[in-house]
Amino acid sequence: MPSSEPSFLLVFDQGLATLAMALRSVLEALSLGTVLLGLLITLRQAWQGWRARRRGPSSFQAVRLTFGSWLAMALEFQLGADIVATSTAPTGAHLVQLGVVAVIRTLLNVFLARDLEAEASHRSLSPEGRP
Protein backbone atom coordinates (compact mmCIF):
# COMPACT_ATOMS: atom_id res chain seq x y z
CA MET A 1 0.00 0.00 0.00
CA PRO A 2 2.85 2.47 -0.46
CA SER A 3 1.06 4.07 -3.43
CA SER A 4 -1.95 5.18 -1.35
CA GLU A 5 0.12 7.23 1.08
CA PRO A 6 1.43 9.75 -1.46
CA SER A 7 -2.04 10.19 -2.92
CA PHE A 8 -3.46 10.80 0.57
CA LEU A 9 -0.80 13.45 1.21
CA LEU A 10 -1.48 15.02 -2.16
CA VAL A 11 -5.22 15.19 -1.47
CA PHE A 12 -4.52 16.57 2.02
CA ASP A 13 -2.16 19.23 0.62
CA GLN A 14 -4.70 20.22 -2.03
CA GLY A 15 -7.44 20.43 0.57
CA LEU A 16 -5.24 22.53 2.82
CA ALA A 17 -4.36 24.84 -0.06
CA THR A 18 -8.05 25.21 -0.95
CA LEU A 19 -8.93 25.97 2.67
CA ALA A 20 -6.13 28.53 2.88
CA MET A 21 -7.28 30.20 -0.33
CA ALA A 22 -10.86 30.37 0.96
CA LEU A 23 -9.70 31.77 4.32
CA ARG A 24 -7.58 34.37 2.56
CA SER A 25 -10.57 35.42 0.43
CA VAL A 26 -12.77 35.72 3.51
CA LEU A 27 -10.16 37.83 5.32
CA GLU A 28 -9.69 40.09 2.30
CA ALA A 29 -13.47 40.50 1.99
CA LEU A 30 -13.65 41.38 5.69
CA SER A 31 -10.90 43.95 5.15
CA LEU A 32 -12.80 45.58 2.28
CA GLY A 33 -16.06 45.46 4.22
CA THR A 34 -14.38 47.07 7.21
CA VAL A 35 -13.09 49.95 5.10
CA LEU A 36 -16.54 50.44 3.56
CA LEU A 37 -18.32 50.29 6.92
CA GLY A 38 -15.75 52.62 8.45
CA LEU A 39 -16.22 55.08 5.61
CA LEU A 40 -19.99 55.07 6.04
CA ILE A 41 -19.75 55.53 9.81
CA THR A 42 -17.17 58.28 9.39
CA LEU A 43 -19.31 60.09 6.82
CA ARG A 44 -22.30 59.86 9.16
CA GLN A 45 -20.25 61.26 12.02
CA ALA A 46 -18.98 64.11 9.84
CA TRP A 47 -22.51 64.86 8.62
CA GLN A 48 -23.86 64.93 12.18
CA GLY A 49 -21.03 67.24 13.24
CA TRP A 50 -21.71 69.53 10.32
CA ARG A 51 -25.47 69.61 11.03
CA ALA A 52 -24.83 70.37 14.69
CA ARG A 53 -22.47 73.17 13.59
CA ARG A 54 -19.57 71.54 15.41
CA ARG A 55 -16.85 72.53 13.07
CA GLY A 56 -13.24 73.06 13.88
CA PRO A 57 -10.14 71.12 14.73
CA SER A 58 -11.74 69.03 17.48
CA SER A 59 -14.57 67.83 15.25
CA PHE A 60 -12.19 67.11 12.39
CA GLN A 61 -9.84 65.24 14.73
CA ALA A 62 -12.67 63.04 16.01
CA VAL A 63 -13.76 62.16 12.46
CA ARG A 64 -10.17 61.45 11.45
CA LEU A 65 -9.61 59.21 14.47
CA THR A 66 -12.80 57.30 13.76
CA PHE A 67 -11.76 56.53 10.20
CA GLY A 68 -8.20 55.75 11.30
CA SER A 69 -9.51 53.18 13.76
CA TRP A 70 -11.52 51.46 11.03
CA LEU A 71 -8.51 51.48 8.72
CA ALA A 72 -6.38 49.90 11.43
CA MET A 73 -8.94 47.12 11.81
CA ALA A 74 -9.02 46.59 8.04
CA LEU A 75 -5.24 46.31 8.01
CA GLU A 76 -5.46 43.64 10.72
CA PHE A 77 -7.68 41.55 8.44
CA GLN A 78 -5.36 42.21 5.50
CA LEU A 79 -2.36 41.16 7.56
CA GLY A 80 -4.16 37.93 8.47
CA ALA A 81 -4.88 37.28 4.79
CA ASP A 82 -1.25 37.87 3.91
CA ILE A 83 -0.07 35.56 6.69
CA VAL A 84 -2.32 32.79 5.36
CA ALA A 85 -1.06 33.34 1.80
CA THR A 86 2.55 33.38 2.91
CA SER A 87 2.19 30.24 5.01
CA THR A 88 0.83 28.24 2.08
CA ALA A 89 3.00 29.63 -0.73
CA PRO A 90 5.95 31.56 0.71
CA THR A 91 7.16 33.41 -2.37
CA GLY A 92 9.33 36.48 -2.26
CA ALA A 93 6.44 38.66 -3.41
CA HIS A 94 4.20 37.36 -0.60
CA LEU A 95 6.93 38.01 1.98
CA VAL A 96 7.43 41.57 0.73
CA GLN A 97 3.67 42.19 0.76
CA LEU A 98 3.41 40.79 4.28
CA GLY A 99 6.27 42.99 5.44
CA VAL A 100 4.80 46.13 3.87
CA VAL A 101 1.36 45.55 5.39
CA ALA A 102 2.91 44.81 8.80
CA VAL A 103 4.96 48.03 8.71
CA ILE A 104 1.99 50.14 7.59
CA ARG A 105 -0.26 48.58 10.25
CA THR A 106 2.33 49.13 12.96
CA LEU A 107 2.94 52.75 12.01
CA LEU A 108 -0.78 53.46 11.72
CA ASN A 109 -1.43 51.93 15.13
CA VAL A 110 1.43 53.89 16.74
CA PHE A 111 0.24 57.22 15.36
CA LEU A 112 -3.42 56.40 15.99
CA ALA A 113 -2.72 55.52 19.63
CA ARG A 114 -0.74 58.75 20.04
CA ASP A 115 -3.57 60.80 18.52
CA LEU A 116 -6.20 59.06 20.67
CA GLU A 117 -4.19 59.83 23.81
CA ALA A 118 -3.79 63.46 22.75
CA GLU A 119 -7.52 63.76 22.01
CA ALA A 120 -8.43 62.18 25.35
CA SER A 121 -6.16 64.52 27.27
CA HIS A 122 -7.51 67.50 25.30
CA ARG A 123 -11.10 66.54 26.14
CA SER A 124 -10.32 66.07 29.81
CA LEU A 125 -8.69 69.53 30.00
CA SER A 126 -11.22 71.57 28.04
CA PRO A 127 -14.76 72.16 29.33
CA GLU A 128 -16.24 72.26 25.82
CA GLY A 129 -14.78 68.84 25.04
CA ARG A 130 -16.96 67.13 27.62
CA PRO A 131 -20.06 65.31 26.35
Side-chain angles (χ1 to χ4, degrees), residues 13-29 80-89 94:
D13 284 346
Q14 289 173 344
L16 194 59
T18 302
L19 178 63
M21 192 169 53
L23 180 58
R24 180 181 184 191
S25 295
V26 167
L27 287 168
E28 287 176 344
D82 290 338
I83 288 171
V84 169
T86 303
S87 68
T88 57
H94 282 132

Side-chain angles (χ1 to χ4, degrees), residues 55-108:
R55 297 180 191 142
S58 178
S59 177
F60 174 76
Q61 183 74 356
V63 170
R64 191 176 74 79
L65 289 174
T66 297
F67 192 56
S69 297
W70 283 95
L71 286 179
M73 179 59 71
L75 281 172
E76 294 287 343
F77 288 126
Q78 191 64 46
L79 183 62
D82 290 338
I83 288 171
V84 169
T86 303
S87 68
T88 57
T91 65
H94 282 132
L95 291 172
V96 168
Q97 185 178 3
L98 178 62
V100 168
V101 170
V103 167
I104 290 171
R105 182 194 64 79
T106 302
L107 289 174
L108 181 60

Side-chain angles (χ1 to χ4, degrees), residues 38-51 63:
L39 176 63
L40 295 174
I41 289 172
T42 302
L43 289 173
R44 190 180 110 224
Q45 180 185 7
W47 175 255
Q48 288 173 344
W50 181 80
R51 288 192 65 207
V63 170

